[in-house]
C-alpha cells in the first residue's frame, strides 16, 4: 500500500517535467541550428558552471537578433534556477519574454520556484495566472511550490485556503502538499491543527512518510511536548518506517531543551543500537543543552567522546562549548578548547573570538583579551572584527576604569571602517560623564544624532543618571522632557534618580510632581520611590504626609524594608520625637531586620540629647548582644552621651563589653571606651569593678 501510494505521488509530481523535457528541453538527439545554442549548452554544462558568461552570451545573442531556440532558452533558464542563480534567471526570463520567446511550462514552474525562494510570493501568483492563461495543466508540483512560498512568508491561512482549493479541484494534494502545510502549521505553533491534518492524511491514499513524522516531531519538541513526539516515533515504527538520524536528532534536541538528560542519553543509545551513527548536529545539541544547564563537565566529557568516535566537531560545536565554559567562568578551559580547534584545522569565526573576548573581560582578564585582539588584527588568517568585538573590549576596559584605552579601541574601530552602534556610544557616554569629561560625552551625543541614530531609553537613562550624580539637575530634567517628547517611556530608575536629587537639594515640590507623574502614567511604584519621597517629606518636617505615604505603600502591598525603617527612625530622632522613633525601631526588629550602626547612632544621639541614659544603656547593651561593630562616628556619639551624663561614674558599671570576638581594629571594648572617656573628660572618675 505504501509503495503504491508513493509511486502515484511520484507520477503526479514528475509528469509535467517528463512531458516538457520531451517537447522542449535540450537532448543529444536534437539538431543544432546555430553556434549560439552550442555555446550556451557548453557554458551551462562546464565543470566550473560559467553561468554569468552564459547569460552575457545569451543577452548579446538576443541583442544581435541571433535568437536562440525556445528549447535552448528554456534549458538555460532551468539550469540557472537549479544552481540557485535566481537574479540571473530573472534577467533571462525578462529578456526571453521581451524577445517574444515563449517560456515552456517547466520554465514558468522554475520562475515560480525563483519567486518562492526570494520571498516574492505575490509575483509567483502572477506567473501561476500566466500558466493557466496559456492553457497548461497545473500540477501538484506547482501548487506545492505555492504552498511552500505562502508558509515561508508566514501566510499559513492563505496556504490552507489554497490547500482546500486543491482538494476541490482536479489537482489533488500529495504527500508533499500535506508535509508542507504541516511544517507551516508547526512553525506557527498550531500543533493541534497539524496533528488533525496527520489524521486526515492517514485517511487518504498517501501514507505519511519519515519526513512527515519528523516535521511533526520537530514542532512538538520545539513546544516542549517531547512525550507526544516519542509517541509519534512509536507509531511510525509500527507502520514499518525506520527512524533516521534526523528523527533521532530532533528527539535528542527536544530532551536537551527541557533538561531531561537521562532520556536524551537513552535516545542516543537507542539510536546507536539501531546502527545509526550520531552526527555532529546531535552531539552539538547535547553539548549545548548541557552547557545551558551548567553541566560543563559532562559537556566536556561528551566532546571528548565525540572526538573518540571520529565525529568531527563543527565550528558551532566549538563555539557552544567555549560559550558554556566562559559563562561558568572557566575561561582557561575555554582557551584550551580554542587551541584544540586551531590544531584540528578549524578556522574560528567572529563568534568564537567574541565569546572568548567577552569571557576574558567578564573575569577581569582585560590584558589577555587585548592580547587576543592584537593577534586578530596582526594575523591575516584571522577574521575581521565586528562591532560586537569592539564593544566587548570597550566595555571590559571601562569596567576596569581604563577609559583612555577604551577610547583608543573606539578610534581603531572607526579607522577600520566598522561603525559603532548605540551600545558603543551608550557605554562611552556613560563613562565620560562618570569621569567628569562632559565635553567628550556631549561630542559623542552630537555624533549619534549626526549619524542618524535615534537615542534609545538606555542612552537617555545613561545621561540622566550621569548628570544627576554630578548635581546638574536642570540638564537631567531637560533630558527627561526630551526623552518623553521622543516617544520613549522613562524607566522607574530615571524618575527615582531625579526624585532623590531633588529631595537632596530640598526641591520637595518638584519631587512630588515627579512622583504624581509616575502615578498618572501607571508606573508600578516600587519601594525605592516611596523611600525617597518619605525621606524628603520627613526631612522637611511634614510628618503627616510621610505617614500617608507609608500607609499608601502598605495598601499597595509593598512591605517596608530596612532602609524604610532606617529613614523613619533617623528623621524622628532628629526631630526629637524619640517615642515614635522607638516604635519604628521595635517594628524593624520584629520584622526581622537587623538595625545598622547608623540606626543605633541616630537613636543614641536622640536619647543622649534628652538625657535619657536608661535608653542609652539599653541600646548599648542591645548593640553588644548583636555584636555590632562600632565605628569612629558612633564611638564619638557614645562618648558624648557618657561624658555629659549627670549620673557620673555610676553609669560605668552598667556599660557592656562590645563584640570581643570581632577581629582587632574593628571594635572597641569597655576598657578602651572608659579610657577614651577619661581622655575626653579627666574629671570623670571610674569606679573600680
Amino acid at each position: 500500500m505504501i509503495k503504491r501510494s508513493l509511486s502515484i505521488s511520484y507520477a503526479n509530481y514528475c509528469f509535467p517535467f517528463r512531458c516538457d523535457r520531451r517537447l522542449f528541453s535540450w537532448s543529444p538527439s536534437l539538431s543544432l541550428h546555430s553556434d549560439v545554442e552550442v555555446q550556451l549548452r557548453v557554458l551551462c554544462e562546464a565543470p566550473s558552471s560559467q553561468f554569468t558568461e552564459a547569460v552575457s552570451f545569451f543577452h548579446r545573442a538576443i541583442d544581435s537578433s541571433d535568437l536562440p531556440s525556445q528549447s535552448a532558452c528554456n534549458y538555460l533558464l532551468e539550469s540557472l534556477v537549479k544552481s540557485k542563480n535566481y537574479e540571473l534567471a530573472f534577467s533571462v526570463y525578462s529578456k526571453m519574454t521581451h524577445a517574444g520567446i515563449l517560456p515552456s511550462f517547466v520554465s514558468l514552474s522554475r520562475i515560480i520556484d525563483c519567486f518562492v525562494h526570494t520571498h516574492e510570493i505575490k509575483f509567483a501568483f502572477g506567473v501561476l495566472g500566466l500558466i493557466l492563461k496559456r492553457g497548461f495543466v497545473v500540477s501538484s508540483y506547482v501548487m506545492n511550490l505555492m504552498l511552500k512560498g505562502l508558509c515561508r512568508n508566514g501566510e499559513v491561512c492563505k496556504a490552507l485556503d489554497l490547500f482546500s482549493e486543491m482538494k476541490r479541484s482536479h489537482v489533488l494534494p500529495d504527500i508533499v502538499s500535506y508535509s508542507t502545510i504541516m511544517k507551516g502549521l508547526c512553525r506557527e505553533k498550531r500543533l493541534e491543527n497539524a496533528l488533525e491534518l496527520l489524521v486526515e492524511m492517514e485517511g487518504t491514499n498517501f501514507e505519511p512518510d519519515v519526513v512527515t513524522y519528523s516535521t511533526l516531531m520537530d514542532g512538538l519538541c520545539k513546544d516542549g511536548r517531547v512525550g507526544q513526539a516519542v509517541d509519534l516515533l512509536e507509531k511510525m515504527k509500527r507502520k514499518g518506517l525506520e527512524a533516521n538520524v534526523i528523527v533521532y536528532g530532533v528527539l535528542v534536541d527536544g530532551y536537551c531543551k527541557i533538561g531531561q538528560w537521562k532520556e536524551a542519553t537513552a535516545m542516543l543509545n537507542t539510536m546507536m543500537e539501531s546502527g545509526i551513527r550520531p552526527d555532529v548536529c546531535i552531539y552539538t545539541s547535547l553539548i549545548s543543552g548541557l552547557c545551558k544547564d551548567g553541566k560543563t563537565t559532562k559537556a566536556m566529557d561528551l566532546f571528548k567522546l565525540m572526538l573518540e568516535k571520529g565525529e568531527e566537531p563543527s565550528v558551532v560545536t566549538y563555539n557552544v562549548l567555549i560559550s558554556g565554559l566562559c559563562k561558568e567562568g572557566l575561561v582557561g578551559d575555554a582557551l584550551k578548547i580554542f587551541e584544540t580547534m586551531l590544531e584540528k584545522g578549524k578556522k574560528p569565526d567572529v563568534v568564537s573570538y567574541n565569546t572568548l573576548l567577552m569571557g576574558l573581560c567578564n573575569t577581569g582578564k582585560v590584558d589577555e583579551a587585548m592580547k587576543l585582539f592584537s593577534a586578530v588584527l596582526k594575523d591575516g588568517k584571522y577574521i575581521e572584527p565586528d562591532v560586537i568585538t569592539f564593544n566587548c573590549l570597550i566595555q571590559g576596559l571601562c569596567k576596569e576604569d581604563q577609559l583612555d584605552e577604551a577610547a583608543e579601541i573606539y578610534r581603531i574601530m572607526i579607522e577600520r571602517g566598522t561603525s559603532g552602534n548605540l551600545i558603543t556610544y551608550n557605554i562611552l557616554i556613560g563613562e565620560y560623564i562618570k569621569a567628569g569629561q562632559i565635553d567628550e560625552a556631549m561630542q559623542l551625543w552630537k555624533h549619534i544624532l549626526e549619524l542618524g541614530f535615534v537615542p534609545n531609553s538606555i542612552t537617555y537613562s545613561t545621561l540622566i543618571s550621569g548628570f544627576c550624580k554630578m548635581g546638574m539637575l536642570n540638564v537631567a530634567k531637560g533630558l527627561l522632557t526630551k526623552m518623553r517628547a521622543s516617544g520613549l517611556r522613562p524607566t522607574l530608575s530615571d524618575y527615582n534618580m531625579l526624585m532623590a536629587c531633588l529631595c537632596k537639594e530640598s526641591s520637595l515640590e518638584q519631587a512630588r510632581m515627579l512622583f504624581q507623574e509616575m502615578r498618572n502614567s501607571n508606573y508600578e511604584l516600587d519601594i525605592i520611590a516611596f523611600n525617597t519621597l518619605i525621606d524628603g517629606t520627613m526631612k522637611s518636617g511634614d510628618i503627616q504626609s510621610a505617614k500617608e505615604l507609608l500607609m499608601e505603600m502598605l495598601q499597595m502591598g509593598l512591605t517596608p524594608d530596612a532602609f524604610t525603617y532606617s529613614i523613619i527612625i533617623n528623621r524622628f530622632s532628629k526631630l526629637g520625637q524619640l517615642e515614635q522613633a522607638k516604635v519604628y525601631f521595635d517594628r524593624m526588629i520584629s520584622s526581622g531586620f537587623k538595625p545598622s550602626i547608623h540606626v543605633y547612632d541616630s537613636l543614641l544621639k536622640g536619647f543622649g540629647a534628652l538625657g535619657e541614659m536608661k535608653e542609652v544603656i539599653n541600646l548599648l547593651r542591645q548593640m553588644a548582644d548583636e555584636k555590632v561593630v562600632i565605628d569612629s562616628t558612633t564611638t564619638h556619639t557614645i562618648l558624648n552621651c557618657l561624658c555629659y551624663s549627670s549620673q557620673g561614674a555610676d553609669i560605668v558599671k552598667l556599660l557592656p563589653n562590645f563584640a570581643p570576638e570581632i577581629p582587632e581594629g574593628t571594635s572597641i571594648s569597655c576598657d578602651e571606651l572608659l579610657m577614651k572617656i577619661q581622655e575626653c573628660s579627666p574629671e570623670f572618675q571610674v569606679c573600680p569593678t
Side-chain angles (χ1 to χ4, degrees):
M1 179 62 184
I2 294 173
K3 288 184 178 179
R4 180 174 177 273
S5 64
L6 286 175
S7 65
I8 293 171
S9 171
Y10 181 80
N12 288 342
Y13 194 88
C14 296
F15 175 75
F17 289 91
R18 291 186 302 180
C19 177
D20 276 347
R21 286 190 184 283
R22 179 172 55 81
L23 293 176
F24 300 115
S25 297
W26 264 93
S27 70
S29 61
L30 293 175
S31 60
L32 300 178
H33 299 291
S34 68
D35 291 337
V36 173
E37 301 191 7
V38 174
Q39 188 66 20
L40 279 177
R41 184 175 182 83
V42 169
L43 289 171
C44 287
E45 294 183 352
S48 58
S49 299
Q50 299 168 342
F51 290 118
T52 304
E53 189 176 341
V55 172
S56 298
F57 183 79
F58 167 79
H59 281 287
R60 289 197 300 273
I62 296 284
D63 292 339
S64 62
S65 300
D66 189 6
L67 299 181
S69 67
Q70 185 188 42
S71 60
C73 295
N74 287 324
Y75 180 78
L76 173 62
L77 187 59
E78 289 182 48
S79 300
L80 290 169
V81 178
K82 282 181 182 177
S83 61
K84 303 186 187 304
N85 285 286
Y86 301 123
E87 291 302 320
L88 292 176
F90 286 138
S91 71
V92 168
Y93 176 73
S94 178
K95 199 77 170 179
M96 280 174 63
T97 53
H98 277 91
I101 302 172
L102 293 177
S104 67
F105 174 84
V106 175
S107 294
L108 291 172
S109 301
R110 293 296 189 190
I111 288 296
I112 288 178
D113 200 4
C114 282
F115 283 128
V116 166
H117 279 91
T118 54
H119 300 280
E120 297 285 358
I121 189 64
K122 59 183 178 181
F123 296 122
F125 272 104
V127 179
L128 178 62
L130 183 58
I131 288 175
L132 294 170
K133 185 177 179 180
R134 291 188 56 192
F136 291 118
V137 176
V138 179
S139 67
S140 58
Y141 170 79
V142 173
M143 299 305 287
N144 289 341
L145 283 176
M146 302 301 295
L147 292 174
K148 182 180 179 182
L150 289 167
C151 289
R152 276 189 172 186
N153 273 18
E155 300 178 74
V156 181
C157 291
K158 289 184 180 179
L160 285 168
D161 290 340
L162 185 60
F163 185 71
S164 299
E165 185 62 34
M166 286 174 69
K167 289 189 284 188
R168 288 193 295 268
S169 68
H170 63 281
V171 186
L172 293 176
D174 59 12
I175 192 170
V176 177
S177 313
Y178 278 99
S179 296
T180 303
I181 290 291
M182 283 180 191
K183 188 172 184 178
L185 290 168
C186 288
R187 189 178 289 146
E188 296 290 314
K189 296 192 179 297
R190 294 173 58 178
L191 297 171
E192 299 308 322
N193 296 124
L195 291 168
E196 289 169 7
L197 199 60
L198 176 67
V199 174
E200 178 187 316
M201 186 179 182
E202 289 170 339
T204 67
N205 291 329
F206 304 111
E207 285 287 337
D209 60 8
V210 176
V211 175
T212 312
Y213 282 111
S214 64
T215 298
L216 281 170
M217 288 178 197
D218 186 50
L220 289 166
C221 287
K222 284 177 179 174
D223 200 46
R225 296 158 65 173
V226 187
Q228 283 182 265
V230 174
D231 291 340
L232 279 181
L233 172 66
E234 297 304 318
K235 185 176 184 178
M236 189 179 84
K237 287 180 177 179
R238 288 195 298 271
K239 288 179 175 290
L241 295 171
E242 291 295 327
N244 57 20
V245 69
I246 296 173
V247 171
Y248 283 112
V250 165
L251 294 171
V252 169
D253 187 56
Y255 277 127
C256 288
K257 278 184 169 61
I258 58 175
Q260 294 187 1
W261 310 113
K262 184 178 178 181
E263 290 79 359
T265 305
M267 188 61 68
L268 186 68
N269 292 333
T270 302
M271 177 184 181
M272 291 189 287
E273 288 168 4
S274 302
I276 300 173
R277 178 179 173 177
D279 62 6
V280 65
C281 294
I282 293 177
Y283 280 112
T284 303
S285 291
L286 280 164
I287 290 169
S288 175
L290 288 166
C291 286
K292 285 177 182 176
D293 205 38
K295 301 179 186 295
T296 49
T297 303
K298 290 187 177 181
M300 288 282 283
D301 292 340
L302 189 61
F303 178 75
K304 291 172 185 175
L305 176 65
M306 183 181 183
L307 295 176
E308 289 170 6
K309 295 291 184 181
E311 190 63 47
E312 189 67 26
S314 66
V315 174
V316 176
T317 315
Y318 284 107
N319 287 349
V320 162
L321 190 53
I322 289 170
S323 176
L325 291 166
C326 285
K327 284 177 182 175
E328 292 292 310
L330 304 171
V331 185
D333 291 330
L335 285 167
K336 288 177 184 177
I337 294 296
F338 182 76
E339 289 167 6
T340 303
M341 186 180 185
L342 295 175
E343 290 168 4
K344 293 283 185 180
K346 287 288 180 185
K347 185 178 179 181
D349 60 12
V350 72
V351 176
S352 315
Y353 288 107
N354 289 349
T355 306
L356 270 177
L357 287 171
M358 196 175 295
L360 289 166
C361 289
N362 287 342
T363 52
K365 298 178 180 178
V366 182
D367 292 340
E368 290 185 46
M370 288 297 291
K371 288 178 185 177
L372 180 61
F373 177 68
S374 298
V376 171
L377 296 184
K378 289 177 183 176
D379 197 329
K381 294 184 296 183
Y382 287 101
I383 47 81
E384 183 65 26
D386 62 9
V387 68
I388 298 174
T389 315
F390 290 105
N391 285 349
C392 280
L393 288 170
I394 290 171
Q395 189 165 41
L397 289 164
C398 287
K399 281 183 179 179
E400 297 296 317
D401 294 323
Q402 298 182 36
L403 181 54
D404 291 340
E405 290 80 359
E408 177 62 18
I409 293 296
Y410 171 72
R411 186 189 63 77
I412 293 171
M413 179 179 75
I414 299 301
E415 284 182 354
R416 294 181 72 90
T418 302
S419 299
N421 57 19
L422 269 179
I423 295 172
T424 317
Y425 296 111
N426 288 344
I427 295 168
L428 287 171
I429 286 172
E431 289 302 312
Y432 276 128
I433 292 178
K434 180 181 172 184
Q437 300 181 31
I438 304 300
D439 290 341
E440 288 80 358
M442 289 298 95
Q443 284 176 10
L444 280 179
W445 169 262
K446 183 180 177 182
H447 190 52
I448 286 176
L449 301 177
E450 288 172 349
L451 289 172
F453 284 116
V454 178
N456 60 13
S457 298
I458 296 173
T459 316
Y460 281 105
S461 294
T462 301
L463 288 165
I464 290 168
S465 174
F467 285 117
C468 280
K469 287 174 182 176
M470 295 184 68
M472 300 172 68
L473 290 188
N474 286 334
V475 179
K477 286 188 288 186
L479 285 166
L480 186 75
T481 302
K482 188 174 179 63
M483 184 181 186
R484 288 193 300 249
S486 301
L488 296 172
R489 184 176 169 88
T491 65
L492 203 59
S493 297
D494 297 330
Y495 279 108
N496 288 343
M497 179 74 70
L498 269 171
M499 276 205 318
C501 292
L502 289 167
C503 288
K504 189 175 181 181
E505 68 166 22
S506 300
S507 299
L508 182 60
E509 287 308 311
Q510 290 187 51
R512 282 174 171 165
M513 286 171 64
L514 282 180
F515 189 80
Q516 188 59 43
E517 187 176 307
M518 285 192 283
R519 277 181 178 145
N520 296 339
S521 300
N522 296 319
Y523 281 87
E524 289 187 16
L525 298 174
D526 61 3
I527 193 75
I528 297 172
F530 278 100
N531 284 347
T532 301
L533 199 57
I534 287 170
D535 186 41
T537 304
M538 291 196 72
K539 181 182 176 183
S540 71
D542 188 354
I543 305 300
Q544 184 57 38
S545 295
K547 287 182 176 180
E548 288 172 4
L549 282 168
L550 184 62
M551 184 60 66
E552 181 184 347
M553 186 177 80
L554 293 170
Q555 288 171 350
M556 288 178 61
L558 293 173
T559 305
D561 60 8
F563 191 62
T564 315
Y565 287 113
S566 299
I567 289 168
I568 296 172
I569 294 165
N570 179 53
R571 292 301 175 193
F572 272 130
S573 297
K574 286 184 177 179
L575 291 169
Q577 299 186 24
L578 274 304
E579 288 185 13
Q580 286 287 328
K582 193 68 167 58
V583 167
Y584 282 99
F585 178 76
D586 293 337
R587 284 185 190 176
M588 183 180 189
I589 293 172
S590 63
S591 298
F593 295 109
K594 187 175 180 179
S596 67
I597 185 66
H598 304 294
V599 172
Y600 282 112
D601 186 75
S602 178
L603 287 169
L604 285 169
K605 283 176 180 172
F607 283 117
L610 296 177
E612 296 282 351
M613 297 312 296
K614 182 179 178 182
E615 293 291 349
V616 169
I617 295 300
N618 286 338
L619 283 170
L620 291 175
R621 286 177 173 173
Q622 191 167 344
M623 290 166 69
D625 291 341
E626 294 292 333
K627 299 180 177 59
V628 176
V629 177
I630 301 176
D631 58 17
S632 58
T633 301
T634 309
T635 301
H636 187 265
T637 300
I638 296 171
L639 289 174
N640 282 337
C641 290
L642 298 179
C643 288
Y644 302 103
S645 169
S646 61
Q647 296 183 34
D650 290 337
I651 201 169
V652 175
K653 298 176 183 178
L654 304 175
L655 290 175
N657 202 26
F658 290 99
E661 68 277 5
I662 299 295
E664 188 178 351
T666 61
S667 66
I668 184 169
S669 67
C670 179
D671 292 337
E672 290 170 330
L673 183 60
L674 292 174
M675 287 175 64
K676 286 182 179 291
I677 293 172
Q678 285 183 311
E679 290 172 8
C680 183
S681 181
E683 69 276 7
F684 190 91
Q685 297 297 313
V686 180
C687 295
T689 56

